[in-house]
Amino acid sequence: MTKIITYGTFDLFHEGHYRLLKRAKELGDYLIVGVTTEAYDKARGKLNVVDSLVTRIENVKKTGFADEIIIEESQGQKINDIRKFHVDIFAIGSDWMGAFDYLKDCCKVVYLERTKNISSTMLREKNSPIQRIGIIGTGRIAERFIPEARLVSGVSTQGVYNPHKDSALRFADRWEITPYENMEDFFSAVDVVYIASPHDTHYGYIRSALEHGKHVLCEKPMVLCKAQAEELFAYAGEKNLILFEGIKTAYCPGFHKLLGIACSGIIGSVRNVEACFTKLEKKGGRELNDRIYGGSFTELGSYVMLPILKIFGKDYTSIRFDTIQGENGLDIFTKVSLNYPTGIATATCGLGVKSEGRLLIAGTKGYIVAEAPWWKTSYFEVHYEDAGKVDKYSETFLGDGLRYEISDFLSMIRGSSSSEFKLTRGESVALADIMEQFMKTENRL
Ligand code: C2G
């Protein structure tokens, strides 16, 4: 008996999938089909899969070609499956030509010609039109955003607006997108807006984008004032538009796993959260010089406040800010201490003082520790009273990690509310409120 194995996501099952399975089955007697899990697809960068695993399996079953269906959960599984099931032939579409030659040591590898003019990506796009993204701002973060957005299917990077014409031209040239000097032209050419301009311009740009009927993804901190945050969310709601604050950590899979563990009771009741993030900045940069909007807390505060708000919530009983200021009065190091009815927390950040950036969550039965860069969570440990017992967790964090927030933003635009809990409007408003209190304590507002 000749055994064949093939793998795939089989999202929005189509003619190409059907023909591939048919020809794979014709190569022998017994066909095993590996269907990928959502987690594995996310890990390999396929972020916008529409059908659930159950639906995708059902669709493969319905073809009648599969004698056995298995789940593909991780990279490196194929070689073990081939050995375990005594497979004779590994078959896959020709879009993977060469990629699986390493399996030739174990079995025959056959690349079947891919069916032309049909793909899950095409169908996803047909069902939900591509969202053209317009970018406001041309700084470091905008540079990181474009390559990440290009990995998310369903969006295209259309153009860039910057009132400084030369910056817009240089940026547009580098990324082969359209530069806009005129805001009206810019808004009429795009469906959604990504704001990565200096902090003080966020409010105006968000308001204007919403007035033009555009969904908005705005870099953190969205605004530095509670009333503005409330007003903007209310306005977006009235206009049925999505307003989304881009704190990348909130959307990355490892951070979710960590929060899940923290809330699961494994470490008992959480009593203390300590989050620290420091990043030494060059003296001349905007971060250390912008008299009002620069400084450590406006730059990094969103990251360090995030795990605290996620774990203890918004109802702290007291908050205190302690800062070390540079010569120009801006905070080069800030520590925020919060008291809650059931615990205490500290958020520490610095642009001019280096510290051990770690996230520590202590409970009545144990603690979780994630070392820097925990804000791109890919690994953390759980420790207990018995020092010999340590649970280790890892998760992928691809590239600069913006792809996760872009993908969640897109799914919210398409009407799904399944990722809303990752950073709620209430949490964004609470962050703006804390920023405002900080600015007032520093006499900057
Ligand atoms: N396919 C095809 N013709 C198309 C589209 C897809 O022959 N027009 C084939 C692919 O080459 C693949 C199978 O159908 O062999 C499943 O395709 P996908 O669902 O896109 O899955 P893929 O990402 O290719 O998963 O571990 C997963 C595998 O490595 C492949």
Side-chain angles (χ1 to χ4, degrees):
M1 183 170 77
T2 306
K3 270 191 176 180
I4 310 109
I5 198 161
T6 189
Y7 295 85
T9 306
F10 303 106
D11 190 28
L12 303 172
F13 200 88
H14 57 66
E15 181 67 18
H17 297 142
Y18 183 89
R19 291 195 58 237
L20 181 111
L21 293 177
K22 183 167 186 289
R23 284 171 295 156
K25 171 77 182 195
E26 284 164 4
L27 293 171
D29 310 298
Y30 190 86
L31 176 66
I32 304 172
V33 182
V35 182
T36 56
T37 60
E38 274 115 20
Y40 178 47
D41 276 323
K42 280 219 163 85
R44 65 192 186 113
K46 263 197 167 178
L47 299 174
N48 287 329
V49 174
V50 175
D51 289 336
S52 69
L53 177 60
V54 175
T55 307
R56 292 182 285 117
I57 290 174
E58 279 306 313
N59 288 337
V60 170
K61 233 186 233 167
K62 270 190 225 150
T63 63
F65 298 128
D67 296 289
E68 188 171 344
I69 296 178
I70 59 167
I71 305 295
E72 188 184 25
E73 293 177 278
S74 60
Q75 206 173 4
Q77 186 183 319
K78 290 186 177 81
I79 203 153
N80 291 328
D81 288 343
I82 288 168
R83 289 186 179 129
K84 188 163 97 192
F85 295 109
H86 306 289
V87 166
D88 303 289
I89 303 173
F90 169 85
I92 196 96
S94 55
D95 46 326
W96 291 99
M97 189 61 81
F100 294 106
D101 286 358
Y102 71 92
L103 297 172
K104 280 182 182 163
D105 290 344
C106 309
C107 67
K108 193 171 163 195
V109 174
V110 175
Y111 296 101
L112 295 166
E113 197 186 335
R114 187 181 159 84
T115 307
K116 298 203 172 49
N117 302 324
I118 179 88
S119 72
S120 308
T121 308
M122 264 170 62
L123 293 175
R124 280 192 286 265
E125 285 164 10
K126 205 167 135 218
N127 294 343
S128 332
I130 296 269
Q131 297 287 329
R132 295 163 304 166
I133 308 184
I135 299 164
I136 300 184
T138 51
R140 262 186 299 180
I141 186 80
E143 295 275 355
R144 276 187 225 146
F145 181 85
I146 294 203
E148 290 280 320
R150 288 185 175 165
L151 293 166
V152 178
S153 81
V155 297
S156 72
T157 41
Q158 152 70 24
V160 64
Y161 169 82
N162 189 328
H164 306 292
K165 194 176 158 193
D166 287 349
S167 307
L169 282 176
R170 270 199 309 274
F171 189 88
D173 198 40
R174 203 161 41 253
W175 294 106
E176 295 174 332
I177 57 175
T178 314
Y180 293 92
E181 269 180 83
N182 179 300
M183 282 235 92
E184 293 302 320
D185 294 345
F186 171 75
F187 283 132
S188 58
V190 305
D191 306 300
V192 303
V193 174
Y194 170 62
I195 301 174
S197 53
H199 305 153
D200 52 322
T201 61
H202 287 181
Y203 173 81
Y205 284 139
I206 296 172
R207 181 88 214 175
S208 167
L210 294 173
E211 276 162 9
H212 286 80
K214 310 297 167 190
H215 301 288
V216 178
L217 165 54
C218 181
E219 262 309 315
K220 49 88 206 153
M222 190 174 82
V223 284
L224 306 175
C225 162
K226 184 184 183 197
Q228 284 185 347
E230 284 174 335
E231 178 210 306
L232 291 170
F233 278 121
Y235 186 52
E238 263 168 47
K239 299 207 62 164
N240 229 351
L241 293 167
I242 304 293
L243 169 58
F244 186 102
E245 182 172 13
I247 304 178
K248 67 169 184 272
T249 311
Y251 300 93
C252 86
F255 187 68
H256 278 288
K257 199 180 253 187
L258 183 149
L259 289 180
I261 300 281
C263 301
S264 70
I266 291 179
I267 58 164
S269 308
V270 179
R271 293 284 187 243
N272 178 224
V273 179
E274 287 175 21
C276 179
F277 183 170
T278 64
K279 175 176 148 202
L280 292 182
E281 282 290 345
K282 289 194 195 76
K283 287 244 157 47
R286 174 189 59 80
E287 293 82 359
L288 284 174
N289 291 289
D290 184 322
R291 292 221 153 242
I292 301 177
Y293 298 99
S296 309
F297 194 61
T298 52
E299 195 61 25
L300 302 174
S302 313
Y303 291 119
V304 286
M305 286 308 307
L306 180 70
I308 299 173
L309 289 176
K310 294 303 294 182
I311 290 171
F312 282 139
K314 306 180 289 272
D315 299 324
Y316 44 86
T317 49
S318 73
I319 185 164
R320 201 186 80 210
F321 302 94
D322 290 300
T323 61
I324 297 172
Q325 296 181 341
E327 282 159 21
N328 58 7
L330 283 177
D331 62 309
I332 54 166
F333 190 74
T334 288
K335 197 176 270 255
V336 188
S337 310
L338 299 102
N339 281 300
Y340 283 88
T342 59
I344 54 175
T346 53
T348 309
C349 53
L351 296 178
V353 175
K354 191 68 198 166
S355 183
E356 189 182 36
R358 79 158 41 152
L359 173 61
L360 186 79
I361 302 168
T364 50
K365 293 185 185 159
Y367 66 91
I368 300 173
V369 63
E371 302 294 347
W374 61 263
W375 47 95
K376 302 182 190 176
T377 324
S378 60
Y379 177 77
F380 61 91
E381 293 180 352
V382 183
H383 292 249
Y384 305 90
E385 177 61 19
D386 172 2
K389 179 173 170 352
V390 180
D391 296 331
K392 299 175 177 175
Y393 295 86
S394 52
E395 190 53 83
T396 42
F397 181 91
L398 298 168
D400 279 316
L402 292 164
R403 63 193 71 181
Y404 304 111
E405 70 180 36
I406 301 169
S407 163
D408 281 335
F409 176 54
L410 181 65
S411 70
M412 277 168 78
I413 291 173
R414 289 180 173 167
S416 159
S417 54
S418 63
S419 46
E420 225 170 273
F421 75 97
K422 293 181 184 169
L423 181 66
T424 65
R425 279 164 218 177
E427 285 160 354
S428 268
V429 171
L431 277 169
D433 183 28
I434 291 169
M435 288 282 165
E436 181 176 358
Q437 292 181 54
F438 170 78
M439 298 293 270
K440 281 184 177 150
T441 338
E442 294 283 288
N443 292 321
R444 287 206 244 153
L445 276 187

